[in-house]
Amino acid sequence: MTATVAIAAALGLTLAACGGNDGGSGDGESGGADEVEVFTWWAAGSEKAGLDALVGVFEEQHPDTEFINGAVAGGAGSAAKDLLQTRLQAQDPPDTFQAHAGMELQDYIDAAQIEDVSDLYDEFGLTDVFPPDLVDRLSTEDGAIYSIPSNIHRANVVWANPTVLKDNGIDPKATYADLDAWIADLKKLDAAGVTPLSVATTWTQVQLLETVLLADLGPEAYSGLWDGTTDWKGAEVKGALEDFDTLMGFTNSDRDGLDWPEATQMVIDGTAAFNVMGDWAVAAFEEQKKELGTDFTAAPVPGTDGTFDFLADSFTLPVGAPHPDGAKAWLETVGSLDGQVAFNKAKGSIPARTDADPADFSEYQQTAIESFANDTIVSSLAHGAAAPVATLNAISDATSKFTTGASDLAGFQSELAAAAQG
């Protein structure tokens, strides 16, 4: 589905929802519990499968509330976010919308477009089952919380096709201590005429960039990029950008016309050896009956072992939601054990809750559950946890400019520094 068609479809859903609602005022218990319009970018693949599974639990838990699907297609939610902003500015919010937990929410908070839902954490018992570190990351300085996470994803994962590696003289079980060791094997693949590393449109390139920064700087200095303690203009960042440039030189030439599923499919099909993608990609392998360790491998991006690059999909309560009680019903299901188990089994992520049984999940997900519990946690740039939307947009623009040849490395570094300063 194209972005244009998706937006048109979503607008149609919006009009249908507006025409069919009860005009709930949001006052007290009568505030529109008969339906809920849920706005996401989960419109295809494992994302839609996850949403469908979550809806199934919602309909069991809240059979009197009609689910209205406001999904808009597009990787990482670019088209959805644009349409959402239009609706919020027009004071036509959905009842709840998907957003990445963390700094991505700050713009909505500053614009007074979403409600503090910390009271729901108490009502639903979430503070007892979410990790304290996660609750801290979700909380503002004044203790408010503006979303309920449905999952935890890991961004710093490199996926590989072991057959391609073996056929080109590379040990598929090899581990890489750092990017230099990995680059040495990428050079071998390149010389053999194999695409060493698949990548797609700009947001996937930004995700690759963040993992390179994490690998070369380490978790403390990487996090310092977002709190001002690491100098974007420094030599360490320059070295990381040089490594990013090297990696981009090993990627497919059609990258800007692809989204993440196509880039991941290149590894599944054996037309590329490696792909750096968040662990939602595991569902793409499993949907096609591929087995971890045999048909594909998954490991932390070289140089990032012991660090979990965190992001979480979460749901909000917009100010002026036409069906706030419907939204609260949805949020209850999102945070519930049954909802998180069903959703994450389908999507490839892991529950935010600590009381889910790891045995209910795939082999890869069990490793992610263990890593999230024990690794150093950092926040993802590309997925809204590390920086506000304006900063991410500026970094994305600078990255696209650089990877399409419209700027040199010095200019790229200067533009990144300016973006981080706002």
Side-chain angles (χ1 to χ4, degrees):
M1 181 183 290
T2 67
T4 302
V5 172
I7 290 172
L11 285 170
L13 283 170
T14 300
L15 292 173
C18 290
N21 69 36
D22 65 353
S25 65
D27 297 333
E29 295 300 315
S30 62
D34 60 322
E35 66 180 62
V36 57
E37 183 197 359
V38 178
F39 190 96
T40 74
W41 52 84
W42 294 330
S46 60
E47 296 176 328
K48 184 178 185 300
L51 177 61
D52 289 345
L54 190 56
V55 172
V57 176
F58 175 73
E59 290 176 342
E60 291 178 0
Q61 293 181 347
H62 301 281
D64 295 329
T65 304
E66 180 185 3
F67 173 83
I68 306 295
N69 189 353
V72 176
S78 54
K81 291 173 187 176
D82 289 345
L83 177 57
L84 176 63
Q85 196 54 244
T86 299
R87 290 188 58 178
L88 293 176
Q89 290 174 355
Q91 297 185 338
D92 176 33
D95 296 310
T96 181
F97 62 84
Q98 174 192 1
H100 291 123
M103 289 303 296
E104 181 176 298
L105 293 174
Q106 194 61 48
D107 290 345
Y108 303 119
I109 296 169
D110 292 344
Q113 293 171 327
I114 53 177
E115 303 270 9
D116 175 6
V117 295
S118 55
D119 60 330
L120 298 183
Y121 275 66
D122 295 330
E123 182 179 339
F124 301 153
L126 299 180
T127 50
D128 297 329
V129 293
F130 285 173
D133 181 63
L134 175 61
V135 176
D136 288 344
R137 288 176 180 273
L138 295 170
S139 302
T140 60
E141 290 183 1
D142 61 0
I145 305 177
Y146 288 89
S147 68
I148 293 179
S150 58
N151 63 350
I152 301 293
H153 269 303
R154 187 176 196 173
N156 60 316
V157 186
V158 60
W159 309 87
N161 185 312
T163 301
V164 172
L165 297 181
K166 187 175 181 180
D167 287 349
N168 288 280
I170 296 171
D171 181 1
K173 296 182 179 179
T175 57
Y176 302 101
D178 53 31
L179 291 178
D180 287 342
W182 188 35
I183 287 170
D185 275 353
L186 297 179
K187 288 179 179 178
K188 294 178 185 177
L189 292 162
D190 192 44
V194 176
T195 298
L197 178 63
S198 63
V199 75
T201 190
T202 301
W203 75 263
T204 71
Q205 298 167 32
V206 172
Q207 180 167 316
L208 177 62
L209 171 64
E210 79 180 52
T211 64
V212 172
L213 290 166
L214 179 58
D216 282 348
L217 300 180
E220 183 176 352
Y222 168 83
S223 297
L225 293 170
W226 317 118
D227 65 18
T229 58
T230 298
D231 184 6
W232 274 97
K233 297 180 180 179
E236 286 188 329
V237 172
K238 180 182 178 182
L241 298 183
E242 289 171 345
D243 282 342
F244 174 69
D245 189 26
T246 298
L247 291 176
M248 287 300 298
F250 292 126
T251 63
N252 44 301
S253 60
D254 62 348
R255 59 195 180 224
D256 291 318
L258 306 181
D259 207 339
W260 79 264
E262 292 82 18
T264 299
Q265 191 65 40
M266 292 177 68
V267 174
I268 297 173
D269 292 341
T271 58
F274 294 100
N275 172 239
V276 172
M277 186 46 54
D279 56 10
W280 47 91
V282 72
F285 288 93
E286 292 172 348
E287 283 172 356
Q288 296 175 59
K289 309 302 181 185
K290 305 300 182 181
E291 293 187 9
L292 181 65
T294 301
D295 303 306
F296 71 99
T297 61
V301 170
T304 71
D305 193 18
T307 303
F308 193 108
D309 189 8
F310 149 89
L311 63 134
D313 296 299
S314 64
F315 285 89
T316 63
L317 178 58
V319 171
H323 305 94
D325 286 351
K328 290 174 185 177
W330 175 256
L331 293 174
E332 183 177 21
T333 295
V334 165
S336 70
L337 179 59
D338 287 348
Q340 296 222 340
V341 169
F343 174 76
N344 288 290
K345 284 177 69 174
K347 194 173 188 287
S349 44
I350 63 175
R353 298 178 65 111
T354 58
D355 56 346
D357 185 351
D360 288 336
F361 296 89
S362 71
E363 180 182 354
Y364 169 77
Q365 288 168 305
Q366 291 178 35
T367 68
I369 290 170
E370 182 178 357
S371 293
F372 186 68
N374 296 296
D375 287 357
T376 299
I377 309 299
V378 300
S379 296
S380 169
L381 164 66
H383 301 282
V389 173
T391 300
L392 173 56
N393 287 345
I395 289 175
S396 298
D397 289 344
T399 302
S400 178
K401 186 176 177 181
F402 178 66
T403 60
T404 57
S407 67
D408 60 12
L409 192 138
F412 183 33
Q413 186 170 8
S414 178
E415 290 182 3
L416 291 175
Q421 291 175 354

mmCIF file of all heavy atoms in Angstrom, residues 368-401:
data_model
loop_
_atom_site.group_PDB
_atom_site.id
_atom_site.type_symbol
_atom_site.label_atom_id
_atom_site.label_comp_id
_atom_site.label_asym_id
_atom_site.label_seq_id
_atom_site.Cartn_x
_atom_site.Cartn_y
_atom_site.Cartn_z
ATOM 1 N N ALA A 368 16.573 -12.238 23.901
ATOM 2 C CA ALA A 368 16.308 -10.809 24.085
ATOM 3 C C ALA A 368 15.812 -10.517 25.501
ATOM 4 O O ALA A 368 16.183 -9.502 26.106
ATOM 5 C CB ALA A 368 15.300 -10.326 23.045
ATOM 6 N N ILE A 369 14.959 -11.402 26.028
ATOM 7 C CA ILE A 369 14.471 -11.235 27.402
ATOM 8 C C ILE A 369 15.650 -11.254 28.382
ATOM 9 O O ILE A 369 15.753 -10.416 29.282
ATOM 10 C CB ILE A 369 13.451 -12.332 27.741
ATOM 11 C CG1 ILE A 369 12.145 -12.110 26.962
ATOM 12 C CG2 ILE A 369 13.171 -12.365 29.245
ATOM 13 C CD1 ILE A 369 11.165 -13.268 27.045
ATOM 14 N N GLU A 370 16.563 -12.183 28.174
ATOM 15 C CA GLU A 370 17.736 -12.278 29.047
ATOM 16 C C GLU A 370 18.630 -11.040 28.900
ATOM 17 O O GLU A 370 19.119 -10.491 29.902
ATOM 18 C CB GLU A 370 18.536 -13.547 28.720
ATOM 19 C CG GLU A 370 19.750 -13.740 29.606
ATOM 20 C CD GLU A 370 20.511 -15.032 29.307
ATOM 21 O OE1 GLU A 370 20.055 -15.800 28.437
ATOM 22 O OE2 GLU A 370 21.561 -15.248 29.935
ATOM 23 N N SER A 371 18.828 -10.596 27.675
ATOM 24 C CA SER A 371 19.702 -9.440 27.442
ATOM 25 C C SER A 371 19.113 -8.177 28.052
ATOM 26 O O SER A 371 19.836 -7.372 28.660
ATOM 27 C CB SER A 371 19.923 -9.239 25.940
ATOM 28 O OG SER A 371 20.658 -10.306 25.386
ATOM 29 N N PHE A 372 17.797 -7.980 27.899
ATOM 30 C CA PHE A 372 17.184 -6.772 28.445
ATOM 31 C C PHE A 372 17.291 -6.755 29.965
ATOM 32 O O PHE A 372 17.430 -5.686 30.576
ATOM 33 C CB PHE A 372 15.720 -6.680 28.010
ATOM 34 C CG PHE A 372 15.060 -5.385 28.417
ATOM 35 C CD1 PHE A 372 15.442 -4.191 27.836
ATOM 36 C CD2 PHE A 372 14.067 -5.359 29.381
ATOM 37 C CE1 PHE A 372 14.847 -2.987 28.202
ATOM 38 C CE2 PHE A 372 13.459 -4.162 29.757
ATOM 39 C CZ PHE A 372 13.856 -2.981 29.169
ATOM 40 N N ALA A 373 17.267 -7.920 30.566
ATOM 41 C CA ALA A 373 17.354 -8.003 32.024
ATOM 42 C C ALA A 373 18.767 -7.764 32.538
ATOM 43 O O ALA A 373 18.949 -7.321 33.680
ATOM 44 C CB ALA A 373 16.857 -9.363 32.494
ATOM 45 N N ASN A 374 19.785 -8.029 31.688
ATOM 46 C CA ASN A 374 21.159 -8.027 32.189
ATOM 47 C C ASN A 374 22.103 -7.029 31.523
ATOM 48 O O ASN A 374 23.129 -6.682 32.106
ATOM 49 C CB ASN A 374 21.759 -9.437 32.034
ATOM 50 C CG ASN A 374 21.039 -10.463 32.886
ATOM 51 O OD1 ASN A 374 21.057 -10.392 34.098
ATOM 52 N ND2 ASN A 374 20.383 -11.425 32.235
ATOM 53 N N ASP A 375 21.795 -6.570 30.320
ATOM 54 C CA ASP A 375 22.706 -5.699 29.577
ATOM 55 C C ASP A 375 22.592 -4.241 30.008
ATOM 56 O O ASP A 375 21.634 -3.841 30.682
ATOM 57 C CB ASP A 375 22.416 -5.790 28.074
ATOM 58 C CG ASP A 375 22.885 -7.097 27.460
ATOM 59 O OD1 ASP A 375 23.487 -7.910 28.189
ATOM 60 O OD2 ASP A 375 22.650 -7.299 26.250
ATOM 61 N N THR A 376 23.557 -3.442 29.577
ATOM 62 C CA THR A 376 23.457 -1.988 29.709
ATOM 63 C C THR A 376 22.410 -1.494 28.704
ATOM 64 O O THR A 376 22.462 -1.853 27.519
ATOM 65 C CB THR A 376 24.811 -1.322 29.395
ATOM 66 O OG1 THR A 376 25.780 -1.799 30.326
ATOM 67 C CG2 THR A 376 24.709 0.188 29.497
ATOM 68 N N ILE A 377 21.459 -0.683 29.160
ATOM 69 C CA ILE A 377 20.380 -0.204 28.297
ATOM 70 C C ILE A 377 20.707 1.198 27.801
ATOM 71 O O ILE A 377 21.077 2.078 28.579
ATOM 72 C CB ILE A 377 19.036 -0.174 29.061
ATOM 73 C CG1 ILE A 377 18.763 -1.526 29.744
ATOM 74 C CG2 ILE A 377 17.895 0.197 28.109
ATOM 75 C CD1 ILE A 377 18.657 -2.693 28.822
ATOM 76 N N VAL A 378 20.586 1.396 26.497
ATOM 77 C CA VAL A 378 20.674 2.732 25.908
ATOM 78 C C VAL A 378 19.431 2.958 25.060
ATOM 79 O O VAL A 378 18.700 2.019 24.739
ATOM 80 C CB VAL A 378 21.949 2.917 25.054
ATOM 81 C CG1 VAL A 378 23.202 2.720 25.897
ATOM 82 C CG2 VAL A 378 21.949 1.975 23.857
ATOM 83 N N SER A 379 19.207 4.206 24.678
ATOM 84 C CA SER A 379 17.987 4.570 23.952
ATOM 85 C C SER A 379 18.245 4.723 22.462
ATOM 86 O O SER A 379 19.235 5.322 22.047
ATOM 87 C CB SER A 379 17.427 5.884 24.511
ATOM 88 O OG SER A 379 17.024 5.722 25.851
ATOM 89 N N SER A 380 17.323 4.199 21.664
ATOM 90 C CA SER A 380 17.447 4.258 20.211
ATOM 91 C C SER A 380 17.169 5.661 19.684
ATOM 92 O O SER A 380 16.197 6.304 20.078
ATOM 93 C CB SER A 380 16.459 3.280 19.563
ATOM 94 O OG SER A 380 16.382 3.488 18.165
ATOM 95 N N LEU A 381 18.010 6.116 18.771
ATOM 96 C CA LEU A 381 17.788 7.383 18.070
ATOM 97 C C LEU A 381 16.694 7.246 17.028
ATOM 98 O O LEU A 381 15.736 8.016 17.006
ATOM 99 C CB LEU A 381 19.083 7.843 17.397
ATOM 100 C CG LEU A 381 18.928 8.935 16.326
ATOM 101 C CD1 LEU A 381 18.445 10.243 16.951
ATOM 102 C CD2 LEU A 381 20.226 9.125 15.565
ATOM 103 N N ALA A 382 16.825 6.265 16.148
ATOM 104 C CA ALA A 382 15.932 6.153 14.988
ATOM 105 C C ALA A 382 14.495 5.894 15.390
ATOM 106 O O ALA A 382 13.577 6.158 14.599
ATOM 107 C CB ALA A 382 16.416 5.039 14.055
ATOM 108 N N HIS A 383 14.286 5.428 16.608
ATOM 109 C CA HIS A 383 12.947 5.027 17.030
ATOM 110 C C HIS A 383 12.461 5.802 18.248
ATOM 111 O O HIS A 383 11.715 5.274 19.081
ATOM 112 C CB HIS A 383 12.909 3.521 17.248
ATOM 113 C CG HIS A 383 13.278 2.763 16.014
ATOM 114 N ND1 HIS A 383 12.407 2.566 14.972
ATOM 115 C CD2 HIS A 383 14.464 2.236 15.616
ATOM 116 C CE1 HIS A 383 13.030 1.912 13.999
ATOM 117 N NE2 HIS A 383 14.265 1.706 14.365
ATOM 118 N N GLY A 384 12.874 7.057 18.311
ATOM 119 C CA GLY A 384 12.199 8.007 19.186
ATOM 120 C C GLY A 384 12.544 7.998 20.654
ATOM 121 O O GLY A 384 12.015 8.808 21.405
ATOM 122 N N ALA A 385 13.415 7.086 21.102
ATOM 123 C CA ALA A 385 13.698 7.010 22.533
ATOM 124 C C ALA A 385 14.753 8.008 22.979
ATOM 125 O O ALA A 385 14.725 8.492 24.102
ATOM 126 C CB ALA A 385 14.134 5.594 22.903
ATOM 127 N N ALA A 386 15.712 8.333 22.095
ATOM 128 C CA ALA A 386 16.876 9.116 22.513
ATOM 129 C C ALA A 386 16.716 10.615 22.339
ATOM 130 O O ALA A 386 17.300 11.387 23.094
ATOM 131 C CB ALA A 386 18.116 8.654 21.740
ATOM 132 N N ALA A 387 15.956 11.040 21.345
ATOM 133 C CA ALA A 387 15.925 12.462 20.992
ATOM 134 C C ALA A 387 14.532 12.870 20.536
ATOM 135 O O ALA A 387 13.778 12.047 20.004
ATOM 136 C CB ALA A 387 16.940 12.745 19.882
ATOM 137 N N PRO A 388 14.196 14.155 20.706
ATOM 138 C CA PRO A 388 12.901 14.640 20.220
ATOM 139 C C PRO A 388 12.771 14.511 18.708
ATOM 140 O O PRO A 388 13.772 14.363 17.985
ATOM 141 C CB PRO A 388 12.895 16.118 20.644
ATOM 142 C CG PRO A 388 13.900 16.217 21.734
ATOM 143 C CD PRO A 388 14.951 15.194 21.415
ATOM 144 N N VAL A 389 11.548 14.600 18.229
ATOM 145 C CA VAL A 389 11.263 14.409 16.806
ATOM 146 C C VAL A 389 12.042 15.397 15.943
ATOM 147 O O VAL A 389 12.590 15.023 14.898
ATOM 148 C CB VAL A 389 9.748 14.542 16.543
ATOM 149 C CG1 VAL A 389 9.457 14.521 15.046
ATOM 150 C CG2 VAL A 389 8.983 13.421 17.240
ATOM 151 N N ALA A 390 12.124 16.655 16.357
ATOM 152 C CA ALA A 390 12.819 17.655 15.545
ATOM 153 C C ALA A 390 14.290 17.305 15.375
ATOM 154 O O ALA A 390 14.868 17.472 14.288
ATOM 155 C CB ALA A 390 12.667 19.035 16.170
ATOM 156 N N THR A 391 14.916 16.805 16.437
ATOM 157 C CA THR A 391 16.315 16.397 16.354
ATOM 158 C C THR A 391 16.480 15.214 15.424
ATOM 159 O O THR A 391 17.376 15.196 14.565
ATOM 160 C CB THR A 391 16.846 16.039 17.750
ATOM 161 O OG1 THR A 391 16.727 17.179 18.608
ATOM 162 C CG2 THR A 391 18.294 15.603 17.699
ATOM 163 N N LEU A 392 15.620 14.217 15.575
ATOM 164 C CA LEU A 392 15.678 13.042 14.700
ATOM 165 C C LEU A 392 15.470 13.442 13.247
ATOM 166 O O LEU A 392 16.181 12.959 12.352
ATOM 167 C CB LEU A 392 14.632 12.015 15.121
ATOM 168 C CG LEU A 392 14.459 10.806 14.193
ATOM 169 C CD1 LEU A 392 15.762 10.060 13.987
ATOM 170 C CD2 LEU A 392 13.384 9.866 14.748
ATOM 171 N N ASN A 393 14.518 14.324 12.989
ATOM 172 C CA ASN A 393 14.272 14.748 11.604
ATOM 173 C C ASN A 393 15.494 15.430 11.010
ATOM 174 O O ASN A 393 15.856 15.194 9.842
ATOM 175 C CB ASN A 393 13.071 15.689 11.550
ATOM 176 C CG ASN A 393 11.751 14.975 11.769
ATOM 177 O OD1 ASN A 393 11.681 13.751 11.685
ATOM 178 N ND2 ASN A 393 10.700 15.720 12.052
ATOM 179 N N ALA A 394 16.157 16.272 11.805
ATOM 180 C CA ALA A 394 17.336 16.969 11.305
ATOM 181 C C ALA A 394 18.487 15.996 11.062
ATOM 182 O O ALA A 394 19.225 16.115 10.071
ATOM 183 C CB ALA A 394 17.754 18.055 12.289
ATOM 184 N N ILE A 395 18.649 15.016 11.948
ATOM 185 C CA ILE A 395 19.683 14.000 11.754
ATOM 186 C C ILE A 395 19.368 13.151 10.527
ATOM 187 O O ILE A 395 20.259 12.793 9.743
ATOM 188 C CB ILE A 395 19.821 13.135 13.013
ATOM 189 C CG1 ILE A 395 20.468 13.953 14.141
ATOM 190 C CG2 ILE A 395 20.626 11.867 12.736
ATOM 191 C CD1 ILE A 395 20.550 13.240 15.470
ATOM 192 N N SER A 396 18.105 12.836 10.333
ATOM 193 C CA SER A 396 17.695 12.052 9.158
ATOM 194 C C SER A 396 17.983 12.813 7.879
ATOM 195 O O SER A 396 18.487 12.240 6.893
ATOM 196 C CB SER A 396 16.214 11.701 9.250
ATOM 197 O OG SER A 396 15.946 10.904 10.389
ATOM 198 N N ASP A 397 17.685 14.102 7.867
ATOM 199 C CA ASP A 397 17.958 14.918 6.679
ATOM 200 C C ASP A 397 19.458 14.956 6.383
ATOM 201 O O ASP A 397 19.880 14.830 5.223
ATOM 202 C CB ASP A 397 17.432 16.341 6.876
ATOM 203 C CG ASP A 397 15.915 16.426 6.860
ATOM 204 O OD1 ASP A 397 15.275 15.454 6.399
ATOM 205 O OD2 ASP A 397 15.372 17.451 7.309
ATOM 206 N N ALA A 398 20.263 15.130 7.432
ATOM 207 C CA ALA A 398 21.713 15.173 7.246
ATOM 208 C C ALA A 398 22.243 13.833 6.747
ATOM 209 O O ALA A 398 23.139 13.781 5.886
ATOM 210 C CB ALA A 398 22.387 15.553 8.563
ATOM 211 N N THR A 399 21.681 12.738 7.269
ATOM 212 C CA THR A 399 22.121 11.405 6.855
ATOM 213 C C THR A 399 21.778 11.147 5.399
ATOM 214 O O THR A 399 22.606 10.647 4.620
ATOM 215 C CB THR A 399 21.477 10.337 7.757
ATOM 216 O OG1 THR A 399 21.843 10.590 9.120
ATOM 217 C CG2 THR A 399 21.918 8.939 7.357
ATOM 218 N N SER A 400 20.553 11.488 5.001
ATOM 219 C CA SER A 400 20.149 11.304 3.605
ATOM 220 C C SER A 400 21.030 12.124 2.673
ATOM 221 O O SER A 400 21.452 11.651 1.602
ATOM 222 C CB SER A 400 18.685 11.700 3.434
ATOM 223 O OG SER A 400 18.284 11.582 2.092
ATOM 224 N N LYS A 401 21.315 13.331 3.074
ATOM 225 C CA LYS A 401 22.181 14.206 2.266
ATOM 226 C C LYS A 401 23.559 13.569 2.080
ATOM 227 O O LYS A 401 24.113 13.546 0.979
ATOM 228 C CB LYS A 401 22.294 15.569 2.956
ATOM 229 C CG LYS A 401 23.035 16.632 2.164
ATOM 230 C CD LYS A 401 22.983 17.956 2.929
ATOM 231 C CE LYS A 401 23.792 19.040 2.205
ATOM 232 N NZ LYS A 401 23.763 20.314 2.968
#
